[in-house]
Amino acid sequence: MKSETTDPSGAMRHREVLESLSGLLLALFVAMISSTVVSTSLPLIIGSLNGTQTQYTWVVTATLLAATATTPIWGKLADLFNKKTLVQVAIVIFVAGSMISGFSQDTGQLIAARAFQGIGVGGLQALVQVVIAAIIPPRERGRYNGYLGAVMAVATVGGPLLGGLIVDVPWLGWRWCFFVGVPIAVLAFVVLQRTLKLETVRRDDVQVDYLGAALIAAGVSVLLIWVSFVGNSFDWLSWPTAVMVAGGLVLLALAVLVETKVREPVVPLKIVVRRTPALAIVASLAVGMAMFGGAVFLGQYFQIGRGYTPTEAGLLTMPLMAGVLVSSTVSGRLISRTGKIKPYLVAGTIVLVLGFLGLGAVDHATPLWLVGIAMAVVGVGVGMTMQNLVLAVQNDVPLRELGAASASVTFFRSLGGTIGVSVLGAVLANRVSADLAAALHVPAGQAATGGVSALNLKALPPQVQAVVHTVYGDATAHIFLISAAVAVVGVLAVLLLKPITLRTTIDLDKTGEPAAPEPAAR
């Protein structure tokens, strides 16, 4: 007998969905604000710890890499244990990582703490998607993507502003950028406990592929470390390059071998090789590389390249978030109304390319209104693609494979972001190092700023500060052009998708057709 709180299709009523979503959206907000509240203050944080551009990149990369490696594991655990409990466990891990980050004494400790925090972030970003998919049919999910977009926008707009205010207030300091998320996380935990009523749909035969996840994480880590240091600490053609590249490729080859042998692979090949999931994953990889890789350095552009305070930098990134909010809300409702998703994915990826091309033309003197327009265009592209690529994959799989499928597409999106941040950060670091040496008439490879971090502007002489502004402002455009080129891959992937009509039921039957199971929530 069906619960009286559900309709005949097995879906929850709108009011109950909103009640259940409240805790999930708070949890998602906590995960997102952990990055955004630090985004505008990170140049000051790394500068105060006398860190380098490479360490700046790795503070971001460490979180993304840990989240990427653990996302598929969280997805598998969602098929084995209660999803609500797992979300709460992820919140606890996130809170612990935040506290450790706030007490870090040097960049090494901060990078390690952010990696631990990333384990919780990986759980939140995977499990929120899984729970939402378990209570809302794909056709109806588009309308709720607007709420997800609103949370993304508030976290991404409010985070930088909050982070900027925190570091600009003398009696707070940058450590509160990490502490401030703790009460919000506690609130999310309590709200989830009170509002989310979710039955445990357990598969007794689930096995978690820890070895596959470890090999993937290790292989990617080795290659990203190589990218960070090649051309600076050692040459492209050298024995460290040979060892690290060969080692990374061997580890990834072993990961593929393990994934073909184990019964429950962390990246299920039977899902990812199907046309719709495969193309959506390729597009997610490209969009993740472009979006994370490009957006991470916007705060640095405004502060180091243009000389604005962290608070001002947060305000200046608002056009990007406004584009995300508007496009995700509008496209989500249109998708729910029509049931068609491909046209919005195609339009979104094309707009993303155009936006990054616009940002690729900026320098240290570009009028702010032109930079704002380009950021808004990027935001529109992101809002039309990120959640809808996940939705396309979820629509193609039955409920029993939902955790693995959702985690897989999130995994590759995070992997793309990790690679994007690391590669673009390495490009920026090498470019800045060479340009600073040339501008200050220092031999290549020598510290152009006399051992003081170029990000620690207050410790530099005024004439050197002016050079640093110019060099960073001009060099940032190159990474946006690379982001545009990567985003073109996303355009090609979504063009190859078959037309998709979203189903109106939560599950598929054994023939692959839509079916209405017993409700997963009450």
Side-chain angles (χ1 to χ4, degrees):
M1 180 178 179
K2 293 185 185 296
S3 167
E4 63 181 5
T5 62
T6 58
D7 63 27
S9 69
M12 300 170 63
R13 290 177 180 173
H14 182 61
R15 179 180 60 82
E16 292 160 335
V17 170
L18 290 180
E19 289 176 353
S20 298
L21 275 179
S22 60
L24 294 171
L25 294 179
L26 267 176
L28 183 64
F29 178 78
V30 164
M32 292 198 63
I33 203 171
S34 69
S35 297
T36 60
V37 77
V38 177
S39 61
T40 53
S41 54
L42 196 54
L44 187 147
I45 294 172
I46 302 300
S48 66
L49 295 175
N50 206 34
T52 65
Q53 177 64 47
T54 297
Q55 290 171 326
Y56 177 101
T57 300
W58 271 95
V59 169
V60 179
T61 302
T63 305
L64 285 173
L65 186 59
T68 300
T70 57
T71 290
I73 295 177
W74 287 107
K76 284 291 184 182
L77 292 175
D79 292 334
L80 183 61
F81 300 106
N82 184 275
K83 298 175 180 63
K84 171 182 170 180
T85 302
L86 288 173
V87 174
Q88 292 176 313
V89 170
I91 290 175
V92 171
I93 295 173
F94 169 83
V95 168
S98 299
M99 296 297 294
I100 298 171
S101 297
F103 287 113
S104 298
Q105 299 300 310
D106 55 48
T107 51
Q109 293 178 13
L110 181 59
I111 290 170
R114 291 280 289 175
F116 182 74
Q117 188 183 47
I119 298 174
V121 172
L124 293 175
Q125 67 185 15
L127 294 169
V128 168
Q129 298 285 347
V130 171
V131 174
I132 290 175
I135 62 177
I136 308 172
R139 180 68 175 265
E140 291 298 313
R141 215 169 296 149
R143 69 192 288 198
Y144 295 103
N145 276 351
Y147 296 108
L148 293 176
V151 168
M152 290 173 60
V154 172
T156 326
V157 173
L161 290 175
L162 180 60
L165 287 171
I166 288 173
V167 297
D168 283 340
V169 174
W171 52 271
L172 283 177
W174 62 262
R175 297 183 187 279
W176 278 94
C177 290
F178 301 103
F179 297 149
V180 73
V182 173
I184 303 174
V186 173
L187 177 62
F189 188 99
V190 174
V191 172
L192 274 173
Q193 185 64 32
R194 293 176 61 87
T195 63
L196 183 60
K197 308 299 180 184
L198 194 64
E199 291 182 355
T200 302
V201 181
R202 177 175 295 149
R203 289 174 52 197
D204 296 330
D205 60 341
V206 169
Q207 294 180 352
V208 181
D209 179 22
Y210 296 108
L211 177 60
L215 287 172
I216 292 172
V220 172
S221 297
V222 170
L223 292 177
L224 292 182
I225 292 171
W226 169 70
V227 167
S228 297
F229 292 103
V230 69
N232 189 6
S233 299
F234 49 82
D235 295 330
W236 287 88
L237 296 177
S238 61
W239 70 264
T241 290
V243 170
M244 297 181 78
V245 172
L249 294 178
V250 167
L251 288 170
L252 292 178
L254 289 174
V256 173
L257 180 63
V258 169
E259 299 304 274
T260 61
K261 300 295 184 182
V262 297
R263 190 168 61 110
E264 295 281 349
V266 71
V267 178
L269 299 181
K270 67 177 183 179
I271 294 176
V272 301
V273 297
R274 297 208 297 260
R275 178 168 178 171
T276 295
L279 291 172
I281 283 171
V282 170
S284 294
L285 192 67
V287 169
M289 286 184 68
M291 189 204 73
F292 286 105
V296 159
F297 299 102
L298 276 173
Q300 192 176 29
Y301 165 76
F302 283 121
Q303 290 178 69
I304 309 301
R306 303 297 294 262
Y308 292 102
T309 67
T311 302
E312 291 168 339
L315 289 168
L316 290 169
T317 56
M318 287 184 67
L320 177 70
M321 301 313 110
V324 173
L325 173 61
V326 173
S327 66
S328 62
T329 303
V330 173
S331 65
R333 292 191 172 275
L334 290 175
I335 288 169
S336 285
R337 184 179 303 169
T338 63
K340 308 295 183 183
I341 194 171
K342 180 177 176 179
Y344 301 96
L345 290 174
V346 173
T349 50
I350 292 174
V351 168
L352 189 63
V353 172
L354 295 176
F356 275 121
L357 286 175
L359 287 177
V362 305
D363 57 27
H364 71 283
T366 302
L368 291 180
W369 65 270
L370 282 176
V371 180
I373 290 175
M375 285 193 297
V377 174
V378 169
V380 170
V382 170
M384 294 178 70
T385 54
M386 291 289 282
Q387 291 303 120
N388 292 328
L389 285 168
V390 177
L391 180 56
V393 174
Q394 291 175 339
N395 185 72
D396 197 62
V397 299
L399 186 62
R400 66 181 181 276
E401 296 177 351
L402 195 59
S406 302
S408 293
V409 68
T410 306
F411 168 84
F412 282 102
R413 185 176 69 197
S414 297
L415 179 61
T418 306
I419 296 171
V421 170
S422 184
V423 171
L424 295 181
V427 170
L428 181 62
N430 289 333
R431 179 85 185 205
V432 165
S433 178
D435 289 354
L436 278 177
L440 297 175
H441 308 292
V442 174
Q446 184 175 329
T449 53
V452 178
S453 170
L455 300 176
N456 191 7
L457 289 174
K458 294 180 179 179
L460 298 174
Q463 62 271 24
V464 177
Q465 289 184 29
V467 173
V468 170
H469 285 319
T470 301
V471 167
Y472 267 93
D474 294 347
T476 307
H478 296 277
I479 64 175
F480 291 135
L481 287 176
I482 296 173
S483 296
V486 172
V488 171
V489 177
V491 176
L492 298 177
V494 297
L495 284 173
L496 294 173
L497 283 171
K498 290 182 178 180
I500 300 170
T501 300
L502 297 180
R503 65 179 190 257
T504 57
T505 59
I506 290 179
D507 202 4
L508 298 172
D509 61 23
K510 293 181 180 180
T511 65
E513 296 299 322
E518 288 298 311
R522 298 181 183 179

